[in-house]
Amino acid sequence: MTGSHALDIEHGANNSNRQALRNLLAPFEWSARHGGALLGFGVFAGVIFPPLASATRDLVSPGVFCLMTLVLLRVDFVQVLGYLRRPLMVAGLLVWLLLACPLIVFAITRLIGLDGPLGAAVVIMATGCAATSSPAFARLVGLDGEIALVVSVLSTLLVPFIAPPLALGLLGIDLAISLSALMTRLALVVGLPLVLSMIIRRLAGPARLERTGRAVDGAVVLLVVLYGFGVMDGMQAKILAEPLWVAGGIALAFAGNFGLNILTALAMRPVAGTRIALSAGLLSGNRNMALYIAVLPAATDPRILLFFALCQFPLFLSPFLLRPVYEALRARGVR
């Protein structure tokens, strides 16, 4: 066999391998392009097909672990460190998120006479930390995934110290958040994924990660869709049992999510710029309700817990509904 012929065979094999890789990654890249619509499908499919929600319920926690690992593969750690070197800005975002927002929401509920389980639930929602999925959603809609990661992790660390006294003082509700349990959860949801993502970065190298980045984003979308299936377990029965109350709860969940989003973006834009302000708005609207569902006492009004589950609807639909808004702002040159 001549050297030229051997090189041709090797070249053909390389082309074949590259084509096989492209074929393998194509479905994930398609998912990345249609992420918003897929997230909306995920949350509604879990309601429409209860067996699907029930079958995927136990996959929620492993899915969050894998989700955070993939998100950390796409995060620019240089930029993360850059934000950590701006402590006043980060502290300002956290104070707004964890202190100002609950007080504003509490004042609004009292002003409009919204009391009872829904009034209490929306105030508790506003005391929550940013959702774990926030960095993924920020990247999905073209916002700042790095600041989303910093604020979501730090707000989760701070929420046991801030939310319980707020809830007790404003509403008389005891949020018994266990610090040790929260730290264990953070280690599993952030610590281990961070270590695993660093190992993958080391083995894959920056060039390969760059080439497969879009596919990684698509895998993130599919994992969030799987999460959406699981968290809707039992939701259909609740909707059928109290359709009018659930409809009102969903409307309030959307009002709370998008209201906090808009208010935060407007408040932060003069001091942080448009991109960070919009990212902060997304963080402010999308709160981690799973933590409260786990820690609220058994005597808690079940409608409060139901409202927290209903908050998943605006959370999952926000990328689909808000992405056109962010694209329009970028097209107009808003920075």
Side-chain angles (χ1 to χ4, degrees):
M1 181 183 296
T2 65
S4 175
H5 186 55
L7 287 174
D8 288 341
I9 293 175
E10 182 180 353
H11 181 68
N14 288 337
N15 284 339
S16 178
N17 290 338
R18 281 194 291 268
Q19 184 58 46
L21 179 62
R22 282 195 292 269
N23 292 339
L24 179 65
L25 298 180
F28 296 102
E29 293 171 347
W30 179 88
S31 299
R33 291 194 298 272
H34 300 87
L38 286 172
L39 293 178
F41 163 78
V43 71
F44 284 115
V47 174
I48 296 170
F49 304 108
L52 175 64
S54 179
T56 54
R57 177 185 57 198
D58 293 336
L59 299 177
V60 168
S61 293
V64 171
F65 174 87
C66 296
L67 169 67
M68 185 56 71
T69 302
L70 294 181
V71 167
L72 289 169
L73 281 177
R74 295 288 282 149
V75 162
D76 182 349
F77 283 104
V78 174
Q79 192 169 343
V80 168
L81 291 174
Y83 284 129
L84 292 175
R85 294 190 186 102
R86 300 170 65 184
L88 290 180
M89 185 195 75
V90 173
L93 291 175
L94 291 168
V95 168
W96 175 268
L97 195 80
L98 297 175
L99 281 175
C101 285
L103 294 174
I104 292 170
V105 171
F106 176 76
I108 292 173
T109 60
R110 292 300 176 267
L111 183 65
I112 65 176
L114 180 64
D115 52 13
L118 275 179
V122 74
V123 174
I124 297 173
M125 180 271 290
T127 69
C129 54
T132 307
S133 57
S134 296
F137 283 7
R139 286 194 59 83
L140 185 62
V141 297
L143 297 181
D144 196 316
E146 286 71 26
I147 192 64
L149 176 67
V150 170
V151 174
S152 63
V153 171
L154 292 179
S155 66
T156 304
L157 285 168
L158 291 172
V159 78
F161 304 101
I162 299 175
L166 271 177
L168 189 62
L170 297 177
L171 305 168
I173 294 177
D174 182 16
L175 293 178
I177 301 176
S178 166
L179 188 58
S180 60
L182 184 66
M183 291 305 170
T184 301
R185 178 180 173 84
L186 272 176
L188 293 174
V189 174
V190 179
L192 288 180
L194 176 61
V195 172
L196 182 56
S197 69
M198 297 301 290
I199 294 172
I200 295 173
R201 281 174 179 267
R202 181 80 175 184
L203 294 176
R208 188 174 299 169
L209 284 175
E210 181 65 28
R211 288 197 301 270
T212 59
R214 193 65 172 162
V216 172
D217 290 341
V220 166
V221 169
L222 295 178
L223 283 171
V224 178
V225 170
L226 182 67
Y227 175 88
F229 293 157
V231 296
M232 288 294 111
D233 183 41
M235 183 57 70
Q236 186 187 89
K238 294 171 183 175
I239 291 174
L240 294 176
E242 297 186 278
L244 293 179
W245 194 94
V246 168
I250 291 175
L252 183 60
F254 271 96
N257 184 306
F258 287 5
L260 285 173
N261 191 329
I262 295 169
L263 182 64
T264 299
L266 292 174
M268 293 294 118
R269 185 181 178 187
V271 293
T274 300
R275 190 164 186 258
I276 292 179
L278 292 174
S279 303
L282 195 69
L283 290 163
S284 187
N286 290 340
R287 304 293 182 121
N288 185 352
M289 294 295 95
L291 176 64
Y292 288 163
I293 291 174
V295 303
L296 281 169
T300 301
D301 190 312
R303 290 187 171 186
I304 292 180
L305 299 177
L306 177 55
F307 177 78
F308 293 162
L310 297 177
C311 287
Q312 302 302 312
F313 285 99
L315 187 149
F316 277 86
L317 290 172
S318 59
F320 175 72
L321 296 174
L322 296 178
R323 188 171 187 171
V325 176
Y326 300 141
E327 290 177 347
L329 289 174
R330 283 194 293 271
R332 293 173 57 186
V334 177
R335 292 288 183 266

